Amino acid sequence: MKIICSKTNLLHGVNIVSKAVPSRTTMAILECILIDASTNEIKLTANDMELGIETRIEGTIEERGVIALDAKIFSEIVRKLPDNEVTIITDNNFKTIITCEKAKFNIIGKSGDDFSYLPYIEKNQPVLLSQFTLKEVIRQTIFSISDSDNNKLMTGELFEITENQLKVVSLDGHRISIRNIDLKEAYDHYKVIVPGKTLQEVSKILPGDLNEYVSIFFTENHIVFEFANTTVVSRLIEGEYFKIEQMLSSDYETKIKINKRELLDCIDRATLLVKEGDKKPIIMNVTDENMELKINSFIGSMNEDIDIQKDGKDILIGFNPKFFIDALRVIDEEEVTLYMVNPKAPCFIKDDNETFIYLILPVNFNAASN
Amino acid sequence: MKIICSKTNLLHGVNIVSKAVPSRTTMAILECILIDASTNEIKLTANDMELGIETRIEGTIEERGVIALDAKIFSEIVRKLPDNEVTIITDNNFKTIITCEKAKFNIIGKSGDDFSYLPYIEKNQPVLLSQFTLKEVIRQTIFSISDSDNNKLMTGELFEITENQLKVVSLDGHRISIRNIDLKEAYDHYKVIVPGKTLQEVSKILPGDLNEYVSIFFTENHIVFEFANTTVVSRLIEGEYFKIEQMLSSDYETKIKINKRELLDCIDRATLLVKEGDKKPIIMNVTDENMELKINSFIGSMNEDIDIQKDGKDILIGFNPKFFIDALRVIDEEEVTLYMVNPKAPCFIKDDNETFIYLILPVNFNAASN
């Protein structure tokens, strides 16, 4: 194989596919990036068997061929090359020579035959979503997946398409994040659970352009994202997602309108009194026109008042401050509305059209000591 | 005690003195920042018994007093307060209330009586150095102190003043860094060893202004740096510094002029083939007008040619690449001159006036395998 391409293009491609290189594996071939110049285009691929990424880069193929190179070493070499044309030459023994200006690297690659190529996917009609919207919806929901493998379903996100609506849901047993997005046209019904890791990596490599689209394909076992010159193929998580409808109620006893920035800053300040592992709740004492926030830990205590607009009853309720911070950080509105029923029932943060719903369970606390 | 000052001033002061808070100690009082408002100015102090920093901040004293507050908690609170006036009130039981706008923190402080104040220093005539120069000279030498406590002298830097010359030296047994600086006037002779940690922290808090001066005072056991509203007092390292003069020779067999950026980039590229702990040298093969750099590791090999101007003999010599990178990074000149004698003798990187001298010992290598 002999190919020539610019350092910039090569580095861009390597950075994209590197997201699918497993950090730990017993199979050395999975730690490789495959350079496939066996046809008339140069493709880079990495695949950890759950998630595979392929991207095409511009360049000249002087001799067709395929080589698998250790991802870490190859990407470090590319990163440190001068900003100029890079030539990659391989021989039958997988000896690989990478040259750029006067710098010349010799490394040993692996046969492309051992590489696990991306699965072949029968593509039907794609669901179209702007890159910006997909990137945003991932950011707005990914924080409430579970990072424990105890319940596999919680490590993924529900992607459900019903006509021209996309619903994205994540939950970890203490909270639920829901985003509803209008699509430009109506599609068949799909309901799949996408691994959180896939979404995190897709989000990192998505340019996030408002006017460029991502094509999403659904199959029995896979989801495929196509954008720019890149294809991401991921396994789906098998199983039946949680029935969340029954947890969503529109009844409330207390409705609070509050400035988002003030609430977020206040809770953020309060958390510095809480050491990791220490489960001190933030207490909200809601009365007319006022929310007093209090936290009490062995380090000290804090309290602060925030002006609010309130409908309904007074309430004294406690929350894990992190859950509120996570949700408030991804809400763009200047003012948010909280709906509460009682100190044991979930609190909802949602907008009137329910484009977003964040459900947060309260925590018990000893009212006397706070 | 009751004081009022702006969050900005308070945070600035806290960030400065925090550099002298030990990260680990068995004495809880050392983990504190002392707020001393017992006179007509507000002073913050931290002291780890080796290094002490005091800084004055602007503010209003409504009731005089002294309090020691846990540095970590206090600085986190200050950092997260709104950007406004901060009021700190303490009572006789060291209960401390920090308020800013509607936020109110309660924490427990410690008695200022338990705090170890900075040692009293009899100040004689200060040596004056611009903030910029001091910050630079630390950066240009600090990398070659030893981080092992085996030889205490190597963990510090020599500061020697002879008339209107300041010489700063650091060495770790494999290399020596020397910087010579012209002072504006002549001073008494001083020769002290300043702990590397002190210099690192001073460098971090020095604004680095070209037109502002640092006053340096020397005593039997201490060095004092005064700048802006800040005083840094550090113990000196006791002992007789190494006699380096006998290691510095101006004889050479090979003199090489080379572009600094090209050499640095090339060595930097080469190091990616060297894993940590793996002591692979970079080999320089110097012939007329050309230096070939080569490195060979179990990952692969690299070689690259650089144009040079050479006087004297050809030479084949090997170095720890990190030592060359460290020295080249802090040399501002576009072109550097290397002086070599033979493959077992030190290489010098220096300028004609010897404002800087970097001595690097070569390493043995198996010429046959490279």
Side-chain angles (χ1 to χ4, degrees):
Chain A
M1 185 186 85
K2 179 174 180 185
I3 60 170
I4 300 165
C5 57
S6 76
K7 179 224 167 134
T8 313
N9 285 344
L10 189 58
L11 184 58
H12 182 67
V14 166
N15 283 342
I16 288 174
V17 300
S18 289
K19 301 289 186 291
V21 176
S23 49
R24 279 184 177 196
T25 169
T26 50
M27 292 170 68
I29 190 74
L30 295 186
E31 290 173 346
C32 289
I33 291 174
L34 184 81
I35 306 177
D36 182 343
S38 62
T39 60
N40 55 1
E41 53 186 12
I42 305 173
K43 286 186 292 188
L44 304 181
T45 310
N47 185 1
D48 72 4
M49 310 301 278
E50 290 279 323
L51 170 67
I53 305 178
E54 180 184 283
T55 195
R56 290 189 305 280
I57 57 171
E58 265 183 59
T60 312
I61 301 172
E62 298 213 337
E63 193 193 320
R64 290 188 176 190
V66 175
I67 188 83
L69 299 175
D70 181 276
K72 195 147 169 274
I73 294 161
F74 181 53
S75 65
E76 278 180 25
I77 290 176
V78 174
R79 190 163 302 123
K80 294 213 169 168
L81 287 176
D83 202 357
N84 212 324
E85 296 286 291
V86 181
T87 306
I88 303 175
I89 303 173
T90 62
D91 70 11
N92 292 336
N93 300 318
F94 315 119
K95 263 197 200 164
T96 305
I97 301 172
I98 304 169
T99 46
C100 183
E101 293 181 3
K102 290 179 179 174
K104 184 170 156 192
F105 283 90
N106 287 280
I107 56 174
I108 299 292
K110 289 192 169 63
S111 167
D113 298 343
D114 301 334
F115 194 81
S116 45
Y117 285 77
L118 299 194
Y120 173 75
I121 303 287
E122 184 94 40
K123 289 176 191 163
N124 37 18
Q125 189 208 7
V127 173
L128 294 180
L129 207 58
S130 88
Q131 292 184 359
F132 176 79
T133 305
L134 180 57
K135 207 173 162 104
E136 276 292 283
V137 77
I138 295 172
R139 181 180 71 90
Q140 290 161 340
T141 53
I142 198 72
F143 59 85
S144 65
I145 61 170
S146 167
D147 48 12
S148 139
D149 262 349
N150 290 346
N151 189 330
K152 191 81 184 162
L153 293 176
M154 287 190 186
T155 65
E157 295 200 352
L158 178 77
F159 271 60
E160 182 172 12
I161 288 166
T162 312
E163 300 192 337
N164 66 342
Q165 280 281 316
L166 166 65
K167 183 201 286 285
V168 178
V169 181
S170 69
L171 60 84
D172 66 2
H174 304 284
R175 48 185 171 163
I176 306 176
S177 303
I178 305 171
R179 285 272 169 175
N180 290 302
I181 290 160
D182 288 332
L183 301 172
K184 289 231 167 139
E185 46 187 310
Y187 297 95
D188 291 345
H189 182 252
Y190 296 107
K191 192 175 178 184
V192 300
I193 309 168
V194 188
K197 178 168 188 308
T198 296
L199 296 171
Q200 276 155 340
E201 302 305 344
V202 164
S203 162
K204 281 181 206 156
I205 60 181
L206 254 183
D209 204 311
L210 199 59
N211 301 312
E212 298 284 339
Y213 282 84
V214 182
S215 301
I216 307 177
F217 301 91
F218 297 92
T219 74
E220 185 76 13
N221 298 312
H222 290 92
I223 186 168
V224 180
F225 300 90
E226 279 190 0
F227 51 92
N229 293 314
T230 302
T231 304
V232 178
V233 180
S234 167
R235 278 187 177 280
L236 295 170
I237 296 175
E238 287 173 37
E240 183 74 28
Y241 201 68
F242 309 92
K243 300 209 185 324
I244 55 162
E245 286 68 25
Q246 60 207 49
M247 296 181 246
L248 308 177
S249 147
S250 55
D251 294 341
Y252 65 89
E253 296 285 336
T254 311
K255 178 179 170 182
I256 300 157
K257 283 196 182 175
I258 190 165
N259 179 288
K260 192 204 74 169
R261 177 52 43 198
E262 281 186 42
L263 180 59
L264 180 56
D265 285 350
C266 173
I267 301 177
D268 189 40
R269 269 195 283 283
T271 54
L272 66 90
L273 294 179
V274 187
K275 298 278 166 200
E276 223 167 312
D278 184 12
K279 290 189 178 154
K280 287 291 172 186
I282 182 142
I283 313 296
M284 298 180 179
N285 187 9
V286 178
T287 51
D288 286 344
E289 313 296 302
N290 190 64
M291 179 190 279
E292 184 195 9
L293 287 110
K294 295 189 288 187
I295 202 157
N296 220 323
S297 80
F298 71 96
I299 299 175
S301 66
M302 194 211 85
N303 66 297
E304 185 162 350
D305 290 317
I306 302 180
D307 294 335
I308 59 169
Q309 284 176 48
K310 191 197 72 166
D311 285 342
K313 293 187 186 169
D314 291 357
I315 187 170
L316 182 70
I317 188 168
F319 294 100
N320 179 332
K322 181 179 183 306
F323 294 170
F324 251 86
I325 291 175
D326 284 346
L328 292 173
R329 275 206 183 127
V330 300
I331 295 175
D332 294 327
E333 276 70 6
E334 220 173 281
E335 194 178 65
V336 291
T337 312
L338 317 183
Y339 298 85
M340 300 173 184
V341 179
N342 66 54
K344 312 230 166 199
C347 163
F348 291 88
I349 311 174
K350 60 183 182 183
D351 62 347
D352 293 342
N353 302 327
E354 300 200 343
T355 61
F356 65 82
I357 306 174
Y358 293 97
L359 176 158
I360 302 174
L361 286 180
V363 292
N364 283 326
F365 62 97
N366 184 342
S369 79
N370 279 284
Chain B
M1 186 186 83
K2 181 175 179 186
I3 60 170
I4 301 164
C5 58
S6 76
K7 180 225 166 129
T8 313
N9 286 344
L10 189 58
L11 183 58
H12 182 67
V14 166
N15 283 342
I16 289 175
V17 299
S18 289
K19 302 289 186 290
V21 176
S23 48
R24 278 183 176 195
T25 169
T26 50
M27 291 169 67
I29 190 73
L30 295 186
E31 290 173 344
C32 289
I33 290 175
L34 184 81
I35 306 177
D36 183 343
S38 62
T39 60
N40 55 1
E41 54 185 15
I42 305 173
K43 287 186 292 187
L44 305 181
T45 310
N47 185 3
D48 72 3
M49 310 301 279
E50 289 279 323
L51 171 67
I53 306 179
E54 179 184 284
T55 196
R56 290 189 304 282
I57 57 171
E58 265 182 58
T60 311
I61 301 172
E62 299 212 337
E63 193 193 317
R64 292 188 175 190
V66 176
I67 189 85
L69 299 175
D70 182 276
K72 193 144 171 277
I73 294 161
F74 181 53
S75 65
E76 278 180 24
I77 289 175
V78 174
R79 191 164 299 123
K80 293 213 167 166
L81 286 175
D83 202 356
N84 213 325
E85 295 286 290
V86 180
T87 305
I88 304 176
I89 303 173
T90 63
D91 70 11
N92 292 335
N93 299 319
F94 316 119
K95 264 196 197 166
T96 305
I97 302 171
I98 304 168
T99 46
C100 183
E101 291 181 3
K102 290 180 181 174
K104 185 171 157 190
F105 282 90
N106 287 278
I107 55 174
I108 298 292
K110 288 192 171 64
S111 167
D113 299 342
D114 300 336
F115 195 81
S116 45
Y117 285 76
L118 299 194
Y120 172 74
I121 302 287
E122 184 95 35
K123 289 175 191 164
N124 36 18
Q125 189 207 8
V127 173
L128 294 180
L129 207 60
S130 88
Q131 292 184 359
F132 176 79
T133 304
L134 179 58
K135 210 176 160 104
E136 278 293 284
V137 77
I138 296 172
R139 181 180 71 89
Q140 290 162 340
T141 53
I142 197 73
F143 58 85
S144 65
I145 60 170
S146 166
D147 48 12
S148 140
D149 263 347
N150 290 345
N151 190 330
K152 192 78 184 165
L153 293 176
M154 287 191 186
T155 65
E157 296 200 350
L158 178 76
F159 271 60
E160 182 173 10
I161 289 168
T162 313
E163 298 191 341
N164 66 342
Q165 280 280 318
L166 167 66
K167 183 201 285 285
V168 178
V169 180
S170 69
L171 60 83
D172 66 1
H174 304 286
R175 49 185 170 162
I176 306 176
S177 303
I178 305 170
R179 285 272 168 175
N180 290 303
I181 291 161
D182 289 331
L183 301 173
K184 290 230 168 139
E185 46 187 311
Y187 297 94
D188 292 345
H189 182 252
Y190 295 107
K191 191 173 178 186
V192 300
I193 309 168
V194 189
K197 179 169 188 308
T198 295
L199 296 171
Q200 276 156 341
E201 302 305 345
V202 164
S203 161
K204 281 181 205 155
I205 61 179
L206 254 183
D209 203 312
L210 199 59
N211 301 312
E212 297 285 339
Y213 282 83
V214 181
S215 301
I216 307 178
F217 300 89
F218 297 92
T219 74
E220 185 76 15
N221 297 310
H222 290 92
I223 186 168
V224 180
F225 300 90
E226 280 191 359
F227 50 93
N229 294 312
T230 301
T231 304
V232 178
V233 180
S234 166
R235 278 187 176 279
L236 295 171
I237 296 176
E238 286 173 37
E240 183 73 24
Y241 202 67
F242 310 92
K243 301 212 184 322
I244 55 163
E245 285 69 26
Q246 59 207 50
M247 297 181 243
L248 307 178
S249 145
S250 54
D251 296 339
Y252 64 88
E253 298 285 337
T254 313
K255 178 178 171 184
I256 300 157
K257 281 194 183 181
I258 190 164
N259 179 290
K260 192 204 74 168
R261 177 53 43 201
E262 280 187 42
L263 180 58
L264 180 56
D265 285 351
C266 173
I267 301 177
D268 189 41
R269 270 195 284 282
T271 54
L272 67 88
L273 293 179
V274 186
K275 297 278 168 203
E276 221 166 316
D278 185 10
K279 291 190 182 159
K280 288 290 174 189
I282 182 142
I283 313 296
M284 298 181 180
N285 187 10
V286 178
T287 51
D288 287 343
E289 312 296 302
N290 190 63
M291 179 191 280
E292 185 194 9
L293 288 112
K294 295 189 290 187
I295 202 157
N296 221 325
S297 81
F298 72 96
I299 298 174
S301 66
M302 193 211 87
N303 66 298
E304 185 163 350
D305 291 318
I306 302 180
D307 294 336
I308 59 168
Q309 285 176 48
K310 191 197 74 166
D311 285 341
K313 295 185 184 170
D314 290 358
I315 187 170
L316 182 69
I317 188 168
F319 294 101
N320 179 333
K322 183 181 182 306
F323 294 170
F324 251 85
I325 291 175
D326 285 346
L328 292 173
R329 275 205 184 127
V330 299
I331 295 175
D332 294 328
E333 276 70 6
E334 220 173 277
E335 195 179 62
V336 291
T337 312
L338 316 183
Y339 297 85
M340 299 173 183
V341 179
N342 65 54
K344 311 230 169 202
C347 163
F348 290 87
I349 312 174
K350 59 183 181 184
D351 61 350
D352 293 341
N353 302 326
E354 300 202 342
T355 62
F356 64 82
I357 305 174
Y358 293 98
L359 177 158
I360 302 175
L361 286 180
V363 293
N364 283 325
F365 62 96
N366 184 341
S369 81
N370 279 283

